[in-house]
Amino acid sequence: MTTEHTSIIAGVEQTTPDVVAATTAAAQAFSVYRATTPEQRAAFLESVATEIEADREAIIAAAAAESHLPEGRIAGEVGRTTGQLRMFADVVRVGDHLGVRIDPAQPDRAPLPRADIRQRMVPLGPVAVFGASNFPLAFSTAGGDTASALAAGCPVVVKGHPAHPRAGVLVARAVTLAVAAAGLPAGVFSFVLDEGIEVGQQLVTDPRITAVGFTGSRGGGLALVAAAAARPVPIPVYAEMSSINPVVVLPGAIASGAEDLAAAYVDSLTLGSGQFCTNPGLLFLPKGEEGDRFLAAAGRAVSAATGTQMLTSGIAEAYAAGTQRQAATEGVTVVATGQAGEGADAPAPQLVEAAAEQLDAVSDEVFGAAGVVVRYDSLEDLLPQLAELEGQLTATVQTAESDHADAARLIEVLELKVGRILFNGWPTGVEVGHAMVHGGPFPATSDGRTTSVGSLAIERFQRPVAYQDVPTAIQPAAIRDDNPWGLTRRVDGRLEA
Ligand code: NAP
């Protein structure tokens, strides 16, 4: 069987992406899987990581060949993927994601007695995950969405991305081996692969699917949100879609070194052909001589930069159309164009300057190394422009100590606009950890209350249940007084470790 068209439905490899068989198996597996103890579930997640590592070389070779991304970058993604799985194993063992709260009964309370009420999180049910084109491993088959859904206790059906079918199948095989080794029902994990939107639409509208994780285009994400909302039983879609990640350069930052700052900006802009959801697509620069120096240096760096082959021809075409549209917009001037790389799909990086009045016209994501610079007079001029931007994954502030008063005011505006604010760094590169937020208001995501990277991502796939006066002998382990899993809980309003 060629891997290009292989689906793995509940452990069985086949060429038909049979969505109904996958979701039926997932629904059947749910009761056994959600009843696993924290230790069983954590050990399973760790074993997925181990199985991926066992086939590491083949996975790296397939993903690098299919995505045109360098092997070193892909090797890093393997580490990130396995690290993510192990992080969720630790989270499951600690168990704070279960959010246990206990309000003990107060039979003597006047005027009315209080019942015994205990709360914990339960998993939603089978989750559909759409693999991303730009992270063939870390945001794909066993990436953050899959790891967090499995950690929550949800079976997963992955819709593989057609841009990296072999890498997808190899990782799916690794997950399948781990499911079998753990003695879990095979329906805990399935992988469906096909070109075209039909399989994805069928998955999202399947009545057995209870939530969706997605990374990709705004159009694709919104189509899935609409399909999920139109179901007889609507379900949540956690779509991470589009962001231009504004960078604000404050004057003090340029005073400490325009050349270095501009070079670092262009490095981030052109990294991986700009194919990062956190690519710094929009930069606000002060007017005046300092800003001029920065822009000239950034222009030189872009002119010297060479494009590399993009993930797919479609993405390269979308980049070409987007950069042409930007360059042709009234009030926009091209500052610099870099060199096209070898092959048809390695377009040149582009940097343009747009008049502030044109901000709206250049605020759509152009996926790739396309930078827009807008100049500002003063903070009073800048703050309303930031407030008008759409929701973003990140905002970056380049600052020196002399700018701190202004920077503090920026935080007040930006925290309502983005999922992550960073100082004196660059947004490309997202740490996987407990404090990370990779989310943000629409259209950065379809639901800005959460994150798709980091341990908080688990909360997307569970919901709270209160148990009132349930007899002690039959209470779920997580909410029992004797606390067999050693959970941190809020008892009568107070946190108890
Ligand atoms: P995409 O076109 O949104 O596709 C992502 C996945 O969703 C694919 O599996 C696709 O299936 C599926 N899909 C798309 N539209 C659908 C629909 N209406 N119904 C059901 N399923 C649907 O994203 P892409 O292929 O990764 O890249 C295209 C563009 O997405 C890029 O040019 C870029 O603008 C954007 N993008 C953004 C990010 C980000 O993080 N912000 C990341 C990657 C891509 P098929 O491919 O099988 O049709």
Side-chain angles (χ1 to χ4, degrees):
M1 190 180 301
T2 66
T3 47
E4 269 74 2
H5 295 101
T6 302
S7 291
I8 306 181
I9 314 291
V12 180
E13 299 205 8
Q14 54 194 65
T15 48
T16 332
D18 190 339
V19 169
V20 172
T23 58
T24 303
Q28 287 166 351
F30 182 42
S31 58
V32 171
Y33 186 55
R34 76 188 180 94
T36 48
T37 63
E39 185 47 44
Q40 287 168 327
R41 205 179 295 163
F44 162 59
L45 290 167
E46 287 166 344
S47 132
V48 173
T50 306
E51 292 293 352
I52 289 172
E53 280 160 353
D55 206 17
R56 190 173 182 277
E57 299 311 319
I59 290 171
I60 291 173
E66 292 177 324
S67 67
H68 317 298
L69 296 169
E71 288 206 354
R73 145 81 199 268
I74 295 291
E77 255 195 75
V78 173
R80 180 172 165 155
T81 306
T82 54
Q84 221 159 225
L85 286 156
R86 293 192 170 104
M87 177 192 72
F88 279 111
D90 291 343
V91 167
V92 168
R93 284 196 181 95
V94 171
D96 58 323
H97 67 292
L98 294 172
V100 175
R101 291 155 179 250
I102 299 178
D103 292 346
Q106 292 176 354
D108 301 327
R109 190 182 67 173
L112 289 172
R114 183 171 83 178
D116 177 280
I117 304 175
R118 291 158 192 259
Q119 183 192 113
R120 69 157 174 169
M121 292 288 179
V122 298
L124 294 180
V127 169
V129 169
F130 285 72
S133 59
N134 59 338
F135 280 87
L137 302 173
F139 278 87
S140 284
T141 310
D145 286 340
T146 297
S148 54
L150 289 174
C154 300
V156 170
V157 180
V158 170
K159 194 272 184 196
H161 199 288
H164 44 78
R166 274 182 291 134
V169 170
L170 291 176
V171 174
R173 282 185 185 140
V175 183
T176 303
L177 285 174
V179 171
L184 293 168
V188 164
F189 178 83
S190 288
F191 174 83
V192 290
L193 186 58
D194 204 7
E195 305 222 3
I197 64 170
E198 292 75 19
V199 162
Q201 286 283 330
Q202 199 187 348
L203 194 52
V204 171
T205 52
D206 186 291
R208 289 156 287 252
I209 292 296
T210 58
V212 179
F214 169 93
T215 302
S217 68
R218 187 160 168 173
L222 288 181
L224 298 184
V225 168
R231 292 166 39 128
V233 180
I235 55 171
V237 176
Y238 296 103
E240 194 246 282
M241 299 179 291
S242 80
S243 181
I244 52 171
N245 306 297
V247 177
V248 176
V249 179
L250 291 173
I254 309 178
S256 9
E259 289 284 337
D260 288 351
L261 191 63
Y265 158 59
V266 174
D267 280 349
S268 179
L269 180 73
T270 56
L271 183 72
S273 271
Q275 300 170 112
F276 288 97
C277 36
T278 52
N279 184 60
L282 177 62
L283 184 137
F284 291 96
L285 190 62
K287 286 182 181 163
E289 190 260 332
E290 281 166 337
D292 292 347
R293 275 198 293 130
F294 176 96
L295 191 57
R300 285 193 293 279
V302 166
S303 299
T306 304
T308 54
Q309 190 168 358
M310 296 190 85
L311 295 159
T312 66
S313 298
I315 287 176
E317 283 161 20
Y319 172 82
T323 45
Q324 281 164 21
R325 192 180 58 245
Q326 284 186 342
T329 302
E330 205 187 315
V332 172
T333 52
V334 176
V335 176
T337 306
Q339 318 298 316
E342 279 178 29
D345 297 329
Q350 175 175 288
L351 184 66
V352 301
E353 181 176 353
E357 302 72 47
Q358 293 302 329
L359 184 54
D360 207 32
V362 292
S363 287
D364 287 342
E365 180 187 52
V366 174
F367 193 64
V372 176
V373 173
V374 172
R375 309 291 294 267
Y376 66 90
D377 278 315
S378 65
L379 201 68
E380 305 314 321
D381 172 36
L382 174 62
L383 291 175
Q385 294 184 49
L386 294 172
E388 284 303 308
L389 288 177
E390 293 186 309
Q392 305 288 337
L393 293 170
T394 71
T396 302
V397 183
Q398 297 295 344
T399 178
E401 214 171 322
S402 54
D403 302 314
H404 277 185
D406 286 349
R409 292 182 65 198
L410 283 173
I411 291 176
E412 286 171 21
V413 174
L414 294 173
E415 67 192 2
L416 300 180
K417 199 58 51 182
V418 312
R420 175 166 60 116
I421 300 169
L422 57 147
F423 269 59
N424 294 346
W426 300 98
T428 40
V430 182
E431 181 73 26
V432 179
H434 303 286
M436 178 50 70
V437 174
H438 189 64
F442 181 88
T445 73
S446 56
D447 188 337
R449 290 170 296 181
T450 180
T451 173
S452 62
V453 175
S455 58
L456 191 69
I458 195 172
E459 296 192 350
R460 298 173 299 168
F461 302 121
Q462 46 186 28
R463 67 180 179 84
V465 175
Y467 302 79
Q468 186 164 332
D469 287 335
V470 174
T472 308
I474 56 171
Q475 283 171 355
I479 56 168
R480 277 185 359 218
D481 277 342
D482 63 346
N483 196 7
W485 294 345
L487 304 173
T488 296
R489 322 187 288 185
R490 185 176 290 276
V491 179
D492 219 4
R494 282 181 300 282
L495 277 180
E496 287 185 0

